Amino acid sequence: MAYGCRQLLEPAREAIACPIIVNFGFRNPRVNTLVGGVKNSQHLQGCAADIRPKDPAKFQRLVDFLKVCEHTDQLLTGSGWLHISWRPLGVPRHYVRIGYYK
């Protein structure tokens, strides 16, 4: 997750002035299946993370930062957490869905 940390997560942490908790990063196929991940999940390549700010009051600020970050490939929000992905070798899609996970 080094690319994602340098390009997305560390700048996001600095922007919200708060630690970011990573619930999931890389997942092997077995774990991905157990948690209900899709077969082409970017977690399988280590190019995605499910995260939340340590301070829940900073959630919207984190979302706002990642929505405009040039390295964001995909941003999907849930209740108090979000899925973020990146493409180290491709052009980011900047696909954003707020409230994707209910």
Side-chain angles (χ1 to χ4, degrees):
M1 196 175 358
Y3 177 89
C5 288
R6 282 192 309 272
Q7 304 301 326
L8 278 172
L9 300 181
E10 183 60 23
R13 185 198 62 77
E14 290 173 4
I16 67 171
C18 172
I20 292 175
I21 297 169
V22 178
N23 297 327
F24 268 114
F26 171 80
R27 297 194 296 232
N28 67 39
R30 183 171 186 276
V31 171
N32 192 60
T33 299
L34 288 172
V35 300
V38 296
K39 290 183 181 186
N40 64 340
S41 172
Q42 287 174 284
H43 286 281
L44 295 167
Q45 286 80 45
C47 294
D50 296 337
I51 63 174
R52 62 185 171 86
K54 184 173 182 179
D55 178 355
K58 305 272 182 132
F59 181 76
Q60 189 59 51
R61 192 168 174 189
L62 177 59
V63 170
D64 292 342
F65 174 83
L66 292 170
K67 278 170 51 174
V68 299
C69 182
E70 66 180 308
H71 301 288
T72 297
D73 179 56
Q74 187 179 57
L75 171 64
L76 310 171
T77 67
S79 180
W81 66 278
L82 57 89
H83 166 90
I84 188 74
S85 67
W86 51 90
R87 287 186 168 187
L89 301 177
V91 177
R93 296 173 289 174
H94 301 290
Y95 179 80
V96 177
R97 295 251 336 251
I98 305 303
Y100 181 82
Y101 296 104
K102 301 292 181 197

